Amino acid sequence: SVRQRTARIATPAAGTGRVISAGGGILTNNHVIADATSIKVVVGGGTGQTYTAKVLGYDVTEDVALIKITDNVSNLPTVTFGDPSKVHVGDPVVAIGNALDLGDTPTVTKGIVSAKNRTLEVDANTTLKGLIQTDAAINHGNSGGALLNAAGEVIGINSAAMPDAHSGGFATAIHTL
């Protein structure tokens, strides 16, 4: 599990990411790192170590970003990716993140795949497509975290909460990246 704290120009923000390379490559959402002046990554939850990271690249239209720990790291545990095209409505999923930035350990919510291939207009300039909709709660701080299938494989990146809903959200399907 990776927890990110991003210091923005005036306001600190929190999000989540997934380690995709043993040398510190991390996949997250663009909106988590946008306008960051510095990025700190906590690896391993409450007992984890804090590192500095830099942005390697981002895609505003897909709301994804790749960051890398700049400290000398190796042998970090990495995620396993699944195939979102094999996911069906009704399949169980788990959303992992840093909900509401309430602590130093990851949060987990469970649910099902509510729909596939959803489109969500985030703002006038950003429309996300090919999303997985879930009733697993996705809150502020979960952005960039993993949506896992029953096998524990990452099938999506938690990207947005459902407006005016008690639980649920949207994840960018891994195959769209």
Side-chain angles (χ1 to χ4, degrees):
S1 166
V2 173
R3 181 170 177 230
Q4 285 173 205
R5 286 193 179 270
T6 306
R8 294 182 186 245
I9 294 171
T11 313
T16 309
R18 297 288 105 197
V19 177
I20 61 170
S21 71
I26 298 168
L27 187 63
T28 189
N29 287 120
N30 177 65
H31 74 263
V32 171
I33 58 90
D35 302 322
T37 57
S38 67
I39 301 172
K40 299 291 181 192
V41 175
V42 179
V43 178
T47 61
Q49 188 140 1
T50 301
Y51 299 101
T52 302
K54 67 178 181 177
V55 176
L56 293 182
Y58 60 91
D59 184 336
V60 175
T61 61
E62 296 292 338
D63 192 25
V64 295
L66 179 63
I67 64 172
K68 182 163 184 342
I69 295 173
T70 57
D71 302 296
N72 188 19
V73 296
S74 60
N75 300 321
L76 291 176
T78 60
V79 297
T80 301
F81 292 101
D83 183 353
S85 69
K86 295 181 179 177
V87 174
H88 302 287
V89 172
D91 284 354
V93 291
V94 173
I96 299 178
N98 177 25
L100 307 174
D101 193 26
L102 293 176
D104 290 336
T105 57
T107 58
V108 177
T109 58
K110 67 178 183 171
I112 62 167
V113 173
S114 303
K116 293 175 59 176
N117 202 26
R118 290 288 199 211
T119 300
L120 181 66
E121 186 175 322
V122 177
D123 58 38
N125 299 320
T126 308
T127 300
L128 301 176
K129 298 177 181 176
L131 299 172
I132 300 169
Q133 183 179 341
T134 178
D135 67 346
I138 297 178
N139 298 296
H140 296 287
N142 286 106
S143 293
L147 186 68
L148 305 174
N149 63 17
E153 300 166 327
V154 177
I155 57 168
I157 300 171
N158 302 330
S159 298
M162 292 179 71
D164 302 322
H166 293 293
S167 66
F170 298 91
T172 303
I174 291 299
H175 66 3
T176 63
L177 305 178

